[in-house]
Amino acid sequence: MTVLLLRLAAPLQSWGVASRFARRGTQHFPSKSGVLGLICAARGRRRTDPIEDELLGLAFGVRIDQPGALVRDFQTATSLDGRTRYPLSERFYLSDAIFVAAIEGDRNLLEGVRAELIRPAFPLYLGRRSCPVTEPLVLGEVREGTMPQVLKDAPWQAAQHYRRKQPTMVHLPIFRDATATDTPEALSERVRDLPVSFDPVRREYGWRTIITEHAPTPNPDGHTRTHDPLAAFGGS
């Protein structure tokens, strides 16, 4: 199989999988529905268009290279005539986060997706329209291999200031689709972020099983200091 890697980075991102009413939360890593929506936008697909089966068949995984910080925003809204005031809403975002996402599938399909992401038909954003993509989005060419292994081997994308604060060996969290070769002992969970319909009138999502693992990554810019909880009191 072949794999395409994407770098998902921006000042703000938001990946809602259970947002309802006046509280719009975000998952701490990108959702499959969000990334497939990104690809649909690049292809010029509209929300009311059916989701193509070939996209739903792509295996998906994401690695957290820089987790960022959770921020909360309050929003108010009124009707155009100013007579109706809507309830205050809370919206949550990830600030200064960087992820590497991997999609696995047929080479011809991924080559087309890559070209469309480089020259998208519609503007691209990370979860919400207020979160435009920061370049580069596409990491190189389509690669040979399986999604789990390519995702583990991909170069670390964290910013220099973040690397300096981390130890000399980091373990980057990975959340990916389960595969036929995963053992029953693998740490798994169910998430509801497999898109069935993006239609605003009737958004619908299905369940998928994801595996949680880590990618050990050397950090030459890291520190070797150990935390001493009694250092502030003059020693341990």
Side-chain angles (χ1 to χ4, degrees):
M1 296 299 288
T2 53
V3 178
L4 178 64
L5 291 178
L6 306 178
R7 177 180 177 270
L8 306 178
L12 293 175
Q13 306 182 39
S14 188
W15 306 99
V17 295
S19 298
R20 293 291 185 274
F21 307 110
R23 183 181 176 88
R24 303 296 179 90
T26 178
Q27 191 170 250
H28 67 286
F29 59 90
S31 62
K32 188 169 186 174
S33 60
V35 174
L36 290 184
L38 184 82
I39 295 172
C40 287
R43 293 187 140 198
R45 309 286 296 178
R46 299 189 178 276
R47 289 180 179 270
T48 52
D49 293 338
I51 302 172
E52 302 161 60
D53 290 342
E54 61 181 3
L55 294 182
L56 294 177
L58 293 172
F60 174 75
V62 63
R63 191 182 73 191
I64 301 179
D65 283 28
Q66 185 171 311
L70 183 67
V71 297
R72 179 173 60 176
D73 181 39
F74 294 100
Q75 294 190 8
T76 60
T78 59
S79 60
L80 291 176
D81 58 12
R83 296 179 180 178
T84 303
R85 182 179 296 275
Y86 298 101
L88 179 71
S89 66
E90 293 180 287
R91 304 199 178 205
F92 292 83
Y93 300 86
L94 297 175
S95 172
D96 197 30
I98 301 175
F99 306 97
V100 173
I103 52 175
E104 176 189 287
D106 175 75
R107 173 173 285 278
N108 290 334
L109 173 59
L110 293 185
E111 292 283 5
V113 169
R114 180 181 182 276
E116 290 154 352
L117 289 171
I118 293 174
R119 294 179 179 83
F122 295 144
L124 304 181
Y125 49 89
L126 302 183
R128 292 201 187 119
R129 292 179 183 175
S130 57
C131 306
V133 169
T134 298
E135 296 291 344
L137 171 61
V138 177
L139 290 177
E141 303 291 333
V142 174
R143 310 169 190 223
E144 293 288 341
T146 63
M147 176 267 295
Q149 194 57 51
V150 171
L151 196 54
K152 285 183 179 180
D153 295 341
W156 192 21
Q157 299 296 311
Q160 197 69 26
H161 71 83
Y162 178 80
R163 296 176 186 233
R164 288 196 293 265
K165 297 177 182 178
Q166 307 309 310
T168 54
M169 177 63 74
V170 295
H171 297 267
L172 306 178
I174 289 176
F175 302 90
R176 61 169 178 82
D177 283 341
T179 67
T181 60
D182 289 317
T183 63
E185 293 77 21
L187 184 59
S188 65
E189 62 178 300
R190 298 271 287 169
V191 294
R192 193 175 186 180
D193 70 345
L194 186 64
V196 177
S197 170
F198 287 129
D199 190 333
V201 176
R202 187 186 176 187
R203 289 192 180 96
E204 190 175 352
Y205 302 92
W207 294 88
R208 69 184 176 107
T209 300
I210 63 171
I211 300 295
T212 303
E213 53 191 8
H214 293 82
T217 304
N219 178 21
D221 301 315
H223 62 75
T224 56
R225 300 188 301 272
T226 57
H227 174 62
D228 183 357
L230 300 179
F233 300 96
S236 54

